[in-house]
Amino acid sequence: MMKFINIGFGNMVSAGRIVAIASPDSAPVKRLVQDAREDGRVIDVSCGRRTRAVIITDSDHVILSAIQTETITNRLSSDEEYDTADEEE
């Protein structure tokens, strides 16, 4: 079964496709976003707000979210714990 993580404003991403979640502040991440934007691989779901998390997927897409990296990571972690509990029953 596929699990989805809420990344803000009703937008979801498949938990299994996430490779990394990074803060947008560092120069290498800014370059990564710019390169992806030029290649048409950016999905901006920040709804015009400040980007607080950059999600990189296994399909090489870069998703920009207004939700903080810690919040997304916590949602991802809590879902994995839930999956483990389901398998034990």
Side-chain angles (χ1 to χ4, degrees):
M1 185 167 76
M2 191 179 292
K3 293 287 181 186
F4 287 90
I5 303 297
N6 184 342
I7 57 169
F9 305 107
N11 297 295
M12 311 287 251
V13 66
S14 175
R17 305 292 302 259
I18 296 174
V19 174
I21 303 170
S23 172
D25 300 329
S26 71
V29 174
K30 287 179 182 178
R31 272 194 304 275
L32 181 110
V33 170
Q34 190 57 42
D35 291 347
R37 199 179 296 278
E38 290 169 3
D39 293 344
R41 294 181 288 115
V42 167
I43 302 168
D44 188 349
V45 296
S46 64
C47 292
R49 292 192 169 84
R50 183 172 157 245
T51 298
R52 294 204 166 122
V54 177
I55 303 165
I56 296 117
T57 66
D58 60 356
S59 62
D60 230 15
H61 284 86
V62 176
I63 304 169
L64 308 179
S65 174
I67 305 295
Q68 291 187 341
T69 56
E70 294 84 11
T71 305
I72 296 170
T73 304
N74 289 339
R75 290 176 184 176
L76 196 58
S77 298
S78 65
D79 257 19
E80 288 173 354
E81 289 170 12
Y82 179 74
D83 285 350
T84 307
D86 264 359
E87 291 171 7
E88 291 172 2
E89 290 179 6

